[in-house]
Amino acid sequence: MGLINLSSPHHHSLSQTSRLMALVLLATLPGLAAQSYFYGYGTLINLVWASFLALGFEALILYLRGRPIMPYLTDGSALVTAFLLALALPPFSPWWLTLVAVSFSIIFAKHLYGGLGSNPFNPAMVGYALCLISFPVAMTQWAGTEMTMTFGQQWQWFWLESVTGGIDAYTSATALDIMRHTKGLTLSEVASSNPQLALGLTASMWVNIAYLLGGLVLLGFKVFTWHAPVAMLASLGFCAGLFHMGEPDLYPSASQHLLTGATMLSAFFIVTDPVSGATSRKGKLVFGIGVGILVFIIRSYGSYPDAFAFAILLMNLSAPLIDTYTKPKAYGHQSKAPRSQGRP
Amino acid sequence: MTKLWDFHGGVHPIQNKDQSNQLPINTMPLPKQLILPLSQHIGNQAKAIVAPGEYVLKGQLIASAQGFISANIHAPSSGFIDAIEERTLPHQSALTGECIVINTDGKDQWTKLHPVSNPETVSKQDLLHIIQAAGVTGMGGAGFPSVVKLQSKAKIDTLVINGAECEPYITSDDRLMREYAEQIIAGISIAQLLLDQPRCLIGIEDNKPEAIIALNEALSSHTNDKASIEVCVIPTKYPSGGEKQLLEILTGLQVPHGGIPADIGIVCQNVGTVKAIYDAVVLGQPLITRITTVTGKAAKNAGNYEVLIGTQTGDLLDFAQVDMSKTSRLVMGGPMMGFTIQDTQTPLIKSSNCLLAAEDLELAPIADHHSCIRCGLCEVACPAQLLPQQLFWFAKAEEFEKAQDHNLSDCIECGACAWVCPSQIPLVQYYRFAKGRLKDLASEAHIAELSRVRFENREQRLIDEKLAKEEKRKNRATAAAAAQAAKRAANPSEQDPIAAALARVNAKKQEQEQEPKKQVDSAPKTHEQIYKELKTAAAITRTKLNKTNKALANAVAKDHELAQGLQTTVDELTIKAADAQGKLQAYEAKLGLDPEKEKALLTDVAKANALVRKLEKALATSLDPQGVETQLVIARVSQKTSANALAKHQTNLPSTLLPEQEQ
């Protein structure tokens, strides 16, 4: 047998991108379950549809770009984008909303920038933000938690956006939205006047806890380091706590901020996206802190129900700058010890 | 117990050390042929001092060190020099290099050795000489001549002995420590002696309990009240055996960028090296053997072998019963940093610690690598605290300067980044490429710099030559001035060129004032003479005035002290010049001379002459000769008239008048 010439190392941990992606997909399952439990079949239908679309678009664009299809299709990155979108979009999304989001994510945000590893922005967030700006009504239709539709009803809604029996009763704005749009009242007044809010908050809390669990599993498997998510949650909690202390009736508490909306989903599945985030650990801390602060600001003063897409895209934009200023000191550069005075 | 520190990053590959560390070291029988590269170490290549056909004894010097950083090479066994020629070197590139080839004669006959049973009785200088002569180099990998480190000029407070052996599969140091613990401790004592008794820390990973026990046992019977030796058990983590990493684990210090361990008071030696130091001093034997691990699933008799330096890999693989049909990747060194070889004639050298003949699925499969997703696992793993993925992007985009800016040169090529990379990118290969290109660029820049310097030197030379000429000229001028000054020194009244000039002017002035009187006294003069003299006097005063004026302007410009004096002279001369001119005119009037009129007459004559000549010419070519002739006649008449007028005016000169008395 001929001997080959290869560069070291000849050993490998056998970790693979596809394995990392599979872990990420598995870690979303608790959150997916919680979301389905509280909001019905919508998320599941969305997930299947988004995955189908993502793989289809990925294959198509790989073919058009003249790239090998199977290796990239099986690395799981397109599926991760699909999952994140399906989980982030409202359960009541119609088919075309998901189609727009997924196609824009995969084709424009990912492949037009050079495909996996080269995209400056998180593809799922780009698709999400596009839909949020273009179709604000559809993007804020969340199910009322006290009612669930049967699978058939949900299926019908998914394709036709109407259900026999009057769907309007089934939808409501998110807890965050309610809190924002009733600024005239204090939070306690809102809570007493709107029984849905308490229910919504509970559902939202459980969904967030489920994502937190999944995130901790990923942390345990060292899929990412703790820096970005912890920095983000800490800065968001800190800002919220500070303002809540000052004006408890105007600003929701830190725990409400941390356990509503897409906080945990973003913290562990989107902020941790290595491609569009900062590189070094110090950089990841800065990145996370930036996202946290932006989320608080946009949630408190912006006009959109949740702030993650914008906060993350803005920080994606700053990632190269952060990288420039957070370059770690290499071995031997720490101390200003005297340089060699010539070989001994 | 010495406190231990941790180093950044690191990975935990599967050890696979049990394959080869179960059996004692086995001595390999004498091979038929030995191939000894002249460059087995860092530094200058040694120079062969034997010729083909020559008979050499075991341990005889066959190539001598060239320069400070170089090492001697000795014959590992007795036999005839077969050739000194290019052979494949043990290197990734599989390049060839000059080697001494020895055909062994089987007698294995030693040359005369000079053992030193008690090193403490020998002077440091002699000990260093013995170690240098024995050709001891670092046996851990890089092959740096040991004697250089042992005569450090800096104060050394810690001697670190590297027994970490962090690479998977390799167990040669493990077995060496188990079986030669006494010799290692004795070798350490010699090194301590040479370095003025620093403390010694032996770093061993905790996956080698037997070696730790063996060394501790050897230590318990060892007595050295001058300096301590301590076995430090460190956690198993690759690459703890990297020199810089081991130093950090044991002392918490980092070798400064671009520096060496001696800068922070540390010298590091491999366990195999101190054993070689012991052999060189106490046994008097030069470095001609080493322990090499043969391992991998293709090796039936995996284990450690004491081999002669220069043994061909093929011979050792045969002896260890490696089934070459099972392996397609033969690695010299460990799986993390070793390099593949294709030629089984490649010799083992002083730093060859392992031959890994892995079965095909034993090592990382040859995978197509995927895109970098910047997951950051490599950054977590990097022991040099670099940003491997950034370096990868820069290397890939050929942005070598940026790579350098991200401290590419601090990369130790340990392979931890590539080991963890989920996209299975051969990162180290990219770094080696970038390092190579940077080296090329640096040498190109160096050449460009040389040409630039050469060009600038030439320009400078031309300018210098010009300046030198100027300088010479100035020097001559100064010399002349100096001579002048010397002259003046004899005559102190003249001190300054301007003053001298002034003095000269004054002297002349006086002379001239006296001269006419002399003339008057001597003889009567004709009117013509007097007229001439007056003319000359007027001209001379004018000239003097002009000259002095110039000198004055010069002196004023230079703010010379004599400017005031010159001003007075100028004033005087102005009066004098006016006076001379006045006298001249008065005399002219007296003589009835009218220079203005004479001038006008001369002009008339010249004009008439010119007209006549012109008309004569025109007559020869004119179409109207009649008219021209008439004009010519008229012109000739006027010519004659003006000539007469001039003559008349000139004859009016009163040449017969009596000489005039000067006032």
Side-chain angles (χ1 to χ4, degrees):
Chain A
M1 197 180 283
L3 292 171
I4 52 170
N5 189 1
L6 274 183
S7 180
S8 67
H10 307 285
H11 217 276
H12 196 268
S13 61
L14 300 179
S15 75
Q16 282 170 359
T17 308
S18 54
R19 209 167 297 182
L20 286 183
M21 296 290 181
L23 263 174
V24 173
L25 295 180
L26 285 175
T28 60
L29 292 185
L32 174 67
Q35 219 156 300
S36 304
Y37 174 79
F38 287 107
Y39 304 113
Y41 297 102
T43 311
L44 274 175
I45 295 173
N46 240 336
L47 192 79
V48 174
W49 173 233
S51 304
F52 169 75
L53 287 174
L55 291 176
F57 282 122
E58 177 95 355
L60 175 72
I61 195 109
L62 282 169
Y63 172 75
L64 291 177
R65 287 179 65 203
R67 299 294 161 110
I69 294 175
M70 278 324 279
Y72 282 102
L73 211 56
T74 51
D75 67 19
S77 61
L79 271 185
V80 168
T81 302
F83 267 51
L84 293 178
L85 269 175
L87 295 171
L89 291 174
F92 275 58
S93 307
W95 64 273
W96 55 266
L97 189 67
T98 312
L99 174 76
V100 170
V102 171
S103 61
F104 198 73
S105 294
I106 299 286
I107 296 172
F108 288 88
K110 186 178 174 186
H111 278 286
L112 290 195
Y113 281 103
L116 180 64
S118 305
N119 47 299
F121 300 102
N122 184 305
M125 286 303 101
V126 174
Y128 185 88
L130 174 84
C131 289
L132 196 56
I133 294 166
S134 313
F135 317 108
V137 177
M139 286 296 283
T140 48
Q141 299 284 300
W142 281 73
T145 42
E146 75 276 28
M147 285 164 254
T148 44
M149 289 194 274
T150 63
F151 184 78
Q153 282 174 312
Q154 188 82 49
W155 185 252
Q156 197 184 350
W157 171 263
F158 181 68
W159 293 111
L160 305 172
E161 285 181 76
S162 70
V163 169
T164 33
I167 194 61
D168 284 349
Y170 289 90
T171 62
S172 77
T174 62
L176 269 176
D177 223 15
I178 295 169
M179 288 194 286
R180 185 197 335 280
H181 288 117
T182 49
K183 272 281 161 67
L185 304 170
T186 62
L187 284 178
S188 44
E189 285 168 341
V190 174
S192 55
S193 69
N194 192 339
Q196 271 204 356
L197 178 65
L199 283 169
L201 281 176
T202 313
S204 192
M205 182 183 80
W206 283 111
V207 169
N208 269 289
I209 288 174
Y211 282 126
L212 173 64
L213 277 178
L216 292 178
V217 169
L218 290 183
L219 200 56
F221 277 103
K222 293 186 178 171
V223 173
F224 47 74
T225 61
W226 58 269
H227 301 79
V230 169
M232 188 222 104
L233 294 175
S235 69
L236 175 60
F238 177 78
C239 293
L242 199 69
F243 280 76
H244 182 68
M245 265 198 311
E247 293 268 12
D249 270 338
L250 273 181
Y251 294 97
S253 69
S255 64
Q256 274 171 321
H257 262 290
L258 291 178
L259 294 175
T260 51
T263 306
M264 291 298 169
L265 175 67
S266 307
F268 290 98
F269 295 89
I270 302 170
V271 170
T272 53
D273 171 25
V275 177
S276 55
T279 305
S280 67
R281 273 166 285 181
K282 217 200 300 180
K284 283 173 180 154
L285 282 177
V286 176
F287 185 87
I289 291 171
V291 173
I293 293 172
L294 282 174
V295 165
F296 177 76
I297 293 172
I298 302 174
R299 269 186 181 177
S300 302
Y301 310 107
S303 54
Y304 285 96
D306 208 345
F308 277 97
F310 299 121
I312 288 167
L313 289 176
L314 282 173
M315 289 314 288
N316 285 165
L317 207 62
S318 339
L321 188 73
I322 295 173
D323 281 346
T324 306
Y325 289 102
T326 53
K327 203 169 71 181
K329 277 191 175 161
Y331 179 103
H333 291 260
Q334 258 88 347
S335 58
K336 287 276 170 236
R339 283 175 66 94
S340 167
Q341 285 116 26
R343 292 265 166 195
Chain B
M1 214 30 219
T2 304
K3 189 189 168 198
L4 295 183
W5 280 262
D6 192 13
F7 67 91
H8 181 271
V11 292
H12 295 93
I14 300 162
Q15 293 294 305
N16 274 330
K17 298 219 180 211
D18 292 345
Q19 280 185 27
S20 57
N21 70 358
Q22 302 301 312
L23 297 168
I25 296 168
N26 192 348
T27 304
M28 190 189 151
L30 187 63
K32 285 212 169 64
Q33 196 175 61
L34 296 167
I35 300 170
L36 293 130
L38 291 177
S39 187
Q40 305 189 16
H41 46 263
I42 285 181
N44 300 332
Q45 176 172 313
K47 190 180 169 206
I49 56 165
V50 289
E54 207 172 304
Y55 183 75
V56 290
L57 290 168
K58 179 172 184 164
Q60 184 183 329
L61 183 68
I62 53 173
S64 66
Q66 300 294 305
F68 186 52
I69 300 179
S70 184
N72 284 340
I73 295 164
H74 303 78
S77 185
S78 59
F80 289 93
I81 305 291
D82 181 48
I84 298 173
E85 61 185 18
E86 297 272 316
R87 293 288 180 101
T88 308
L89 294 178
H91 188 267
Q92 176 89 51
S93 62
L95 285 173
T96 59
E98 211 178 356
C99 299
I100 299 177
V101 184
I102 301 176
N103 287 332
T104 57
D105 63 355
K107 291 178 190 155
D108 209 27
Q109 196 181 351
W110 275 98
T111 180
K112 187 164 168 39
L113 302 179
H114 305 281
V116 175
S117 52
N118 192 354
E120 295 191 19
T121 60
V122 180
S123 77
K124 261 195 204 179
Q125 219 45 51
D126 288 346
L127 278 180
L128 287 171
H129 178 72
I130 291 169
I131 296 166
Q132 191 273 336
V136 180
T137 60
M139 297 181 69
F144 192 78
S146 305
V147 77
V148 179
K149 287 188 191 177
L150 291 175
Q151 46 191 316
S152 168
K153 285 192 192 85
K155 171 88 186 94
I156 300 302
D157 52 39
T158 308
L159 170 65
V160 168
I161 301 300
N162 191 344
E165 199 163 59
C166 60
E167 273 251 14
Y169 284 92
I170 309 177
T171 56
S172 58
D173 285 350
D174 182 10
R175 287 307 318 190
L176 182 86
M177 287 187 282
R178 291 193 210 184
E179 298 178 35
Y180 293 97
E182 305 272 351
Q183 287 86 338
I184 289 170
I185 301 297
I188 290 172
S189 295
I190 296 171
Q192 282 180 316
L193 192 67
L194 288 169
L195 295 168
D196 293 328
Q197 306 292 1
R199 68 169 175 161
C200 171
L201 304 174
I202 309 174
I204 308 179
E205 278 192 346
D206 57 11
N207 61 0
K208 292 179 263 294
E210 295 89 347
I212 293 164
I213 291 168
L215 278 174
N216 274 324
E217 272 176 11
L219 267 181
S220 62
S221 58
H222 168 78
T223 49
N224 179 3
D225 41 11
K226 286 176 194 141
S228 65
I229 302 177
E230 191 188 330
V231 175
C232 302
V233 182
I234 61 172
T236 298
K237 178 165 91 165
Y238 179 84
S240 65
E243 184 179 70
K244 290 174 171 179
Q245 281 64 42
L246 186 62
L247 299 190
E248 195 174 5
I249 294 171
L250 296 178
T251 67
L253 299 173
Q254 292 191 344
V255 182
H257 169 73
I260 56 169
D263 295 341
I264 49 172
I266 301 173
V267 162
C268 187
Q269 298 280 9
N270 176 265
V271 282
T273 317
V274 284
K275 156 84 164 46
I277 290 173
Y278 167 86
D279 289 347
V281 176
V282 180
L283 304 181
Q285 294 177 359
L287 178 52
I288 53 168
T289 66
R290 70 155 295 131
I291 316 291
T292 298
T293 305
V294 180
T295 185
K297 283 185 183 159
K300 200 174 163 201
N301 285 350
N304 285 286
Y305 297 87
E306 182 172 350
V307 295
L308 294 176
I309 307 295
T311 302
Q312 293 167 41
T313 49
D315 291 341
L316 179 57
L317 292 171
D318 283 347
F319 184 63
Q321 299 193 15
V322 172
D323 184 351
M324 291 303 284
S325 66
K326 279 188 183 169
T327 186
S328 60
R329 188 166 6 178
L330 189 58
V331 180
M332 191 176 259
M336 297 299 283
M337 288 186 75
F339 50 88
T340 50
I341 55 173
Q342 289 81 48
D343 181 357
T344 52
Q345 286 198 329
T346 308
L348 296 165
I349 57 170
K350 291 174 182 178
S351 55
S352 306
N353 51 8
C354 182
L355 276 180
L356 172 53
E359 271 188 2
D360 284 342
L361 292 176
E362 198 175 349
L363 295 177
I366 309 157
D368 265 352
H369 70 78
H370 290 257
S371 312
C372 170
I373 54 166
R374 295 168 30 109
C375 65
L377 289 176
C378 49
E379 190 220 334
V380 176
C382 179
Q385 285 154 275
L386 303 172
L387 289 173
Q389 79 272 44
Q390 299 297 95
L391 291 176
F392 161 68
W393 286 107
F394 297 144
K396 202 176 170 190
E398 308 205 351
E399 290 177 311
F400 302 116
E401 276 173 15
K402 270 191 188 167
Q404 200 169 29
D405 191 43
H406 278 66
N407 300 313
L408 176 66
S409 59
D410 288 305
C411 168
I412 56 170
E413 299 179 21
C414 68
C417 51
W419 187 82
V420 295
C421 180
S423 296
Q424 317 206 345
I425 303 168
L427 292 163
V428 180
Q429 205 172 346
Y430 278 97
Y431 306 151
R432 289 201 182 114
F433 161 70
K435 281 180 177 178
R437 283 296 294 139
L438 272 171
K439 218 182 232 175
D440 291 350
L441 290 176
S443 72
E444 276 167 27
H446 181 66
I447 290 169
E449 178 65 15
L450 282 183
S451 339
R452 189 185 65 77
V453 168
R454 213 165 40 233
F455 173 76
E456 281 180 0
N457 282 347
R458 179 176 178 273
E459 293 287 287
Q460 191 57 44
R461 206 167 53 239
L462 292 179
I463 292 170
D464 283 351
E465 274 170 14
K466 220 173 175 184
L467 285 179
K469 264 184 199 167
E470 186 76 3
E471 188 67 15
K472 247 184 198 168
R473 198 190 57 72
K474 266 188 191 159
N475 281 344
R476 275 202 303 272
T478 324
Q484 206 69 12
K487 242 188 213 169
R488 271 203 305 281
N491 181 10
S493 68
E494 288 180 85
Q495 277 160 353
D496 192 289
I498 294 177
L502 206 60
R504 273 200 304 278
V505 168
N506 285 336
K508 267 191 185 166
K509 204 158 67 181
Q510 283 172 2
E511 246 172 55
Q512 274 162 9
E513 274 170 8
Q514 286 162 8
E515 214 155 281
K517 283 178 190 164
K518 279 183 200 163
Q519 283 177 349
V520 170
D521 293 344
S522 60
K525 287 183 223 168
T526 59
H527 292 286
E528 274 174 278
Q529 272 173 330
I530 293 166
Y531 179 55
K532 236 182 203 167
E533 269 166 18
L534 281 173
K535 247 186 171 172
T536 316
I540 285 173
T541 7
R542 256 200 324 274
T543 315
K544 267 186 201 163
L545 176 62
N546 285 343
K547 265 191 184 169
T548 324
N549 254 329
K550 259 186 203 164
L552 173 64
N554 217 355
V556 169
K558 284 183 187 163
D559 208 15
H560 199 279
E561 52 187 350
L562 285 172
Q564 199 58 42
L566 282 172
Q567 184 61 55
T568 327
T569 318
V570 167
D571 294 344
E572 279 172 16
L573 281 174
T574 315
I575 297 165
K576 215 154 246 173
D579 188 33
Q581 191 65 28
K583 267 187 201 163
L584 180 62
Q585 275 167 2
Y587 196 72
E588 275 169 352
K590 197 173 173 185
L591 289 181
L593 278 181
D594 192 349
E596 296 302 316
K597 197 180 172 190
E598 190 178 339
K599 221 181 246 174
L601 286 171
L602 276 169
T603 315
D604 284 349
V605 173
K607 268 185 188 167
N609 283 344
L611 186 63
V612 170
R613 270 200 302 280
K614 192 181 157 196
L615 286 170
E616 277 171 353
K617 251 185 203 167
L619 185 63
T621 54
S622 179
L623 294 172
D624 178 24
Q626 213 70 38
V628 175
E629 210 154 323
T630 321
Q631 284 177 11
L632 186 58
V633 170
I634 297 167
R636 277 191 180 140
V637 170
S638 78
Q639 184 191 17
K640 207 157 208 175
T641 318
S642 57
N644 282 344
L646 180 63
K648 196 182 167 195
H649 179 77
Q650 277 170 343
T651 47
N652 236 356
L653 238 160
S655 52
T656 51
L657 280 184
L658 284 168
E660 182 74 3
Q661 197 76 33
E662 189 69 28
Q663 292 152 342

